[in-house]
Amino acid sequence: MTDPLAADPPSDREFPAATPALTFDSGGATLRGVLHVPAGRGPHPVVVLLHGFPGNERNFDLAQVLRRAGYASLVFHYRGSWGVGGSWSWSHVLEDTAAVVAGMRDRELAAAHRFDPRRLMVVGHSLGGFAALMTAAADPSIAAVASVAGFDFGAVTALCRDDPGLRAGYVEAFEGELGPLRGTSGEALVDEMEAAGETWGLTRLAPLLADRPVLLVGTSLDAVTPYDVHHEPVVRAYQAEPVKELEHHVFATDHSLSDHRVMLARTVLSFLEQHR
């Protein structure tokens, strides 16, 4: 076996590696994604990778590492982002993620690209970590889930309720990230977050994830998802349930794990390998 972080695996002329573009329908919009198919007959386990807000870090490095390790891996854009039609909202992210997971279970699609939809796992970063945990909690057939620097909307809503200045800060911060997005505003995004309230809290998902493998990665030098707000309370709640196959880490890095990409890849891959 070659090290998927250091070398490409042997090629296979009959069943070559490939990078097909895929589309999925969600809410009347056509979502665009890229599937990284490993070499070999398969069927390969498959990972759906979820990017954050607005999606500057899209984790294609993880997709390539996973492909070299024998996983089919999908990266896609949500509605209203990066040229995809429709409008952006947090709820659309959840709907789009569920639609893509459902689409990846299509038997013809799976057969055409040599992956096993019964071994589907979800990995997300930031907003994508939130969406990964929420989607897995709602879909017991997802085999394993990982959240990296996951954003806990329920926790932030509770903090904003008690601090109008903090709320205004989130409006400004969201507004400043709207360049690749369409159909929303900073105020609309905070309003939507507040309307969802505790139903978008990650700690409450513990009972729904208790019997599945869960990886939580926190980031201690992170001003976007401070680990004492977004990571440690979730870890404590999942330990208390308990989530029996919980793995958790805190890395001394920023929100995009800019200087921990190899460590992140090894951690995610090691976690998935235990449950493939």
Side-chain angles (χ1 to χ4, degrees):
M1 292 288 291
T2 57
D3 181 350
L5 275 82
D8 290 308
S11 59
D12 187 321
R13 291 187 179 182
E14 187 175 1
F15 301 102
T19 314
L22 300 182
T23 60
F24 303 87
D25 180 74
S26 181
T30 299
L31 310 181
R32 302 188 181 279
V34 177
L35 181 66
H36 302 75
V37 181
R41 180 187 296 273
H44 306 283
V46 60
V47 179
V48 176
L49 290 166
L50 305 175
H51 70 68
F53 168 81
N56 295 318
E57 173 54 69
R58 276 165 266 184
N59 298 291
F60 278 110
D61 58 333
L62 297 184
Q64 296 287 5
V65 168
L66 292 172
R67 170 163 57 185
R68 292 194 294 270
Y71 295 81
S73 54
L74 178 77
V75 179
F76 75 96
H77 290 310
Y78 315 106
R79 256 180 286 176
S81 69
W82 299 95
V84 175
S87 60
W88 174 277
S89 73
W90 310 130
S91 57
H92 285 173
V93 169
L94 295 176
E95 293 169 12
D96 294 347
T97 301
V100 168
V101 167
M104 291 296 286
R105 293 209 175 94
D106 181 83
R107 292 183 179 180
E108 292 185 4
L109 182 69
H113 299 296
R114 309 191 309 273
F115 67 82
D116 184 355
R118 296 169 299 179
R119 293 186 291 161
L120 186 150
M121 296 160 276
V122 182
V123 176
H125 168 244
S126 191
L127 165 65
F130 162 81
L133 293 170
M134 291 284 288
T135 302
D139 184 347
S141 66
I142 291 174
V145 59
S147 170
V148 178
F151 192 95
D152 190 337
F153 282 88
V156 170
T157 298
L159 293 173
C160 288
R161 187 182 303 123
D162 298 328
D163 186 344
L166 182 64
R167 183 191 188 280
Y170 273 102
V171 170
E172 182 179 0
F174 291 159
E175 190 73 32
E177 297 289 343
L178 298 182
L181 310 182
R182 55 183 286 179
T184 190
S185 67
E187 188 69 40
L189 292 174
V190 171
D191 285 347
E192 184 184 14
M193 179 177 71
E194 291 175 328
E198 65 182 17
T199 65
W200 283 358
L202 296 181
T203 59
R204 59 174 285 277
L205 303 180
L208 301 172
L209 298 170
D211 294 322
R212 273 175 294 164
V214 176
L215 170 66
L216 301 174
V217 175
T219 41
S220 64
L221 305 179
D222 180 355
V224 178
T225 54
Y227 75 105
D228 58 331
V229 174
H230 296 267
H231 177 75
E232 289 184 338
V234 182
V235 170
R236 289 195 298 268
Y238 290 14
Q239 288 174 327
E241 179 58 29
V243 174
K244 298 174 185 176
E245 295 183 88
L246 173 66
E247 179 181 338
H248 60 95
H249 305 272
V250 176
F251 298 151
T253 187
D254 67 358
H255 185 62
S256 294
L257 293 92
S258 300
D259 56 8
H260 274 61
R261 300 304 301 184
V262 172
M263 177 66 76
L264 175 63
R266 290 202 184 280
T267 300
V268 170
L269 182 58
S270 173
F271 168 75
L272 296 177
E273 288 285 88
Q274 296 175 56
H275 308 292
R276 67 181 292 167

